[in-house]
């Protein structure tokens, strides 16, 4: 697992020396990566009052492989809100040595959603999307790298599919084991006011979506 230690150290270096890399990030142009953009139709469950229906959604991702013999495949999962290009600094640092799969999770950028965001966003749904994307890219196993909320998704993906994910790197959000009792976000927001936006989005979804649009 020496290579994994080196990857973790490298991510730490990239984050710790952000100013030193700023010139490269300022030059980052996502349009230059249009040739690496991919789309795949993935089955998803649309849940409503009439029952569950399997529909197809589009999962958009960027598959960057500049090396003929990459050290490893890294699946980059952005946080909320975000998209694949939020990994600009990491892409600039790792693209020449690693294969990078930067996904846009369902409902973000060009990735679509099966319907109601309240019922179409279980962790199992997102994990299914990741597996569908990996199958489309021809990837048997990879290292997951998540940022913020994406870290928790990566932890859950590794827990559900250890056959496909060999390691996880979580940035910002630590590993949180499954709790015994569900605590609504609005109660957590009282202890951590910065989580108030999550309660707002959950309880006033239509209004929040309108503001984001």
């Amino acid at each position: 697992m020496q290579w994994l230690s080196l990857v973790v150290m490298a991510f730490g270096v990239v984050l710790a020396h952000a100013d030193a890399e700023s010139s490269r990030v300022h030059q980052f142009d996502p349009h230059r990566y249009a040739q690496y953009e991919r789309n795949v139709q993935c089955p998803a469950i649309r849940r409503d009052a009439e029952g569950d229906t399997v529909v197809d959604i589009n999962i958009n991702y960027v598959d960057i492989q500049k090396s003929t013999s990459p050290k490893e495949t890294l699946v980059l999962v952005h946080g909320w809100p975000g998209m694949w290009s939020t990994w600009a600094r990491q892409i600039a640092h790792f693209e020449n040595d690693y294969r990078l799969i930067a996904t846009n999770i369902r409902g973000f950028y060009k990735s679509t959603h099966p319907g109601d965001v309240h019922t179409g966003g279980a962790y199992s749904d997102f994990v299914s999307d990741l597996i569908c994307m990996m199958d489309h890219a021809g990837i048997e196993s990879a290292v997951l790298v998540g940022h913020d909320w994406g870290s928790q998704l990566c932890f859950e993906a590794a827990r559900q599919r250890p056959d496909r994910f060999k390691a996880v790197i979580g940035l910002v959000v630590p590993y949180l084991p499954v709790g015994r009792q569900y605590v609504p976000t609005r109660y957590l927001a009282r202890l951590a006011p910065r989580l108030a936006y999550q309660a707002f989005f959950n309880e006033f979804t239509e209004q929040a979506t309108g503001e984001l649009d």
Side-chain angles (χ1 to χ4, degrees):
M1 300 297 287
Q2 182 180 7
W3 65 267
L4 178 57
S5 299
L6 293 176
V7 170
V8 174
M9 290 174 60
F11 265 93
V13 169
V14 171
L15 292 174
H17 297 280
D19 292 338
E21 294 284 333
S22 60
S23 61
R24 297 181 65 183
V25 175
H26 290 162
Q27 297 174 4
F28 184 87
D29 181 4
H31 298 291
R32 291 177 50 245
Y33 293 83
Q35 60 182 310
Y36 303 113
E37 187 174 338
R38 305 287 185 269
N39 292 280
V40 55
Q41 298 298 300
C42 297
I45 301 176
R46 182 173 62 202
R47 304 175 179 91
D48 52 36
E50 298 179 358
D52 295 349
T53 305
V54 177
V55 298
D56 287 335
I57 62 173
N58 183 71
I59 295 298
N60 175 263
Y61 67 98
V62 175
D63 184 353
I64 305 169
Q65 184 175 351
K66 295 186 175 182
S67 172
T68 56
S69 55
K71 296 179 180 179
E72 184 57 76
T73 297
L74 307 179
V75 174
L76 309 178
V77 183
H78 63 78
W80 190 100
M83 56 185 291
W84 74 270
S85 58
T86 57
W87 293 102
R89 182 168 286 109
Q90 288 72 31
I91 291 173
H93 190 87
F94 291 105
E95 63 182 344
N96 292 323
D97 298 312
Y98 293 82
R99 183 178 181 182
L100 305 177
I101 306 292
T103 183
N104 291 299
I105 63 175
R106 61 169 61 188
F108 288 81
Y109 191 44
K110 296 180 181 179
S111 292
T112 59
H113 195 280
D116 184 9
V117 296
H118 283 285
T119 61
Y123 277 122
S124 58
D125 295 324
F126 292 112
V127 173
S128 176
D129 295 343
L130 289 177
I131 297 300
C132 176
M133 176 191 69
M134 289 175 62
D135 288 345
H136 183 257
I139 299 171
E140 287 296 324
S141 64
V143 173
L144 281 167
V145 184
H147 174 256
D148 193 63
W149 177 84
S151 295
Q152 190 62 32
L153 170 56
C154 288
F155 296 140
E156 187 60 32
R159 185 159 44 210
Q160 292 186 21
R161 296 300 305 268
D163 58 316
R164 301 298 296 270
F165 302 112
K166 60 181 68 176
V168 177
I169 300 172
L171 304 175
V172 181
V173 175
Y175 172 75
L176 300 174
V178 178
R180 295 184 178 180
Q181 183 177 1
Y182 171 72
V183 179
T185 304
R186 63 177 179 275
Y187 294 127
L188 294 176
R190 297 175 183 176
L191 301 175
R194 290 187 177 183
L195 296 178
Y197 75 92
Q198 296 184 15
F200 173 70
F201 190 83
N202 183 58
E203 298 179 17
F204 302 95
T205 306
E206 186 174 351
Q207 181 180 346
T209 301
E211 292 185 8
L212 290 173
D213 290 341

